[in-house]
Amino acid sequence: MGTSLYLLIMILFVFIGIVVFIALANRPEDAYLDIETESWECPDCGFHVQAGDTCIYCQTKKI
């Protein structure tokens, strides 16, 4: 009974290790690299845009 429990625990740890390895290998380098995070004032409506390159109210692109 004791040996089979240890074997089951070892198999579980190997399985979890494989899952973690695959999850980390498939992760993109930087998923948020293309998002503009600098805030700016819209030249058309004056709204303070906190993130992105397009005003959410008047659809004006950042200059």
Side-chain angles (χ1 to χ4, degrees), residues 23-44:
L24 291 176
N26 290 333
R27 191 180 70 182
E29 291 299 319
D30 191 358
Y32 301 107
L33 189 61
D34 60 337
I35 297 176
E36 179 69 40
T37 58
E38 184 178 323
S39 63
W40 54 282
E41 298 289 329
C42 178
D44 285 348

Side-chain angles (χ1 to χ4, degrees), residues 15-28:
F15 178 74
I16 290 172
I18 291 171
V19 168
V20 168
F21 178 76
I22 290 172
L24 291 176
N26 290 333
R27 191 180 70 182

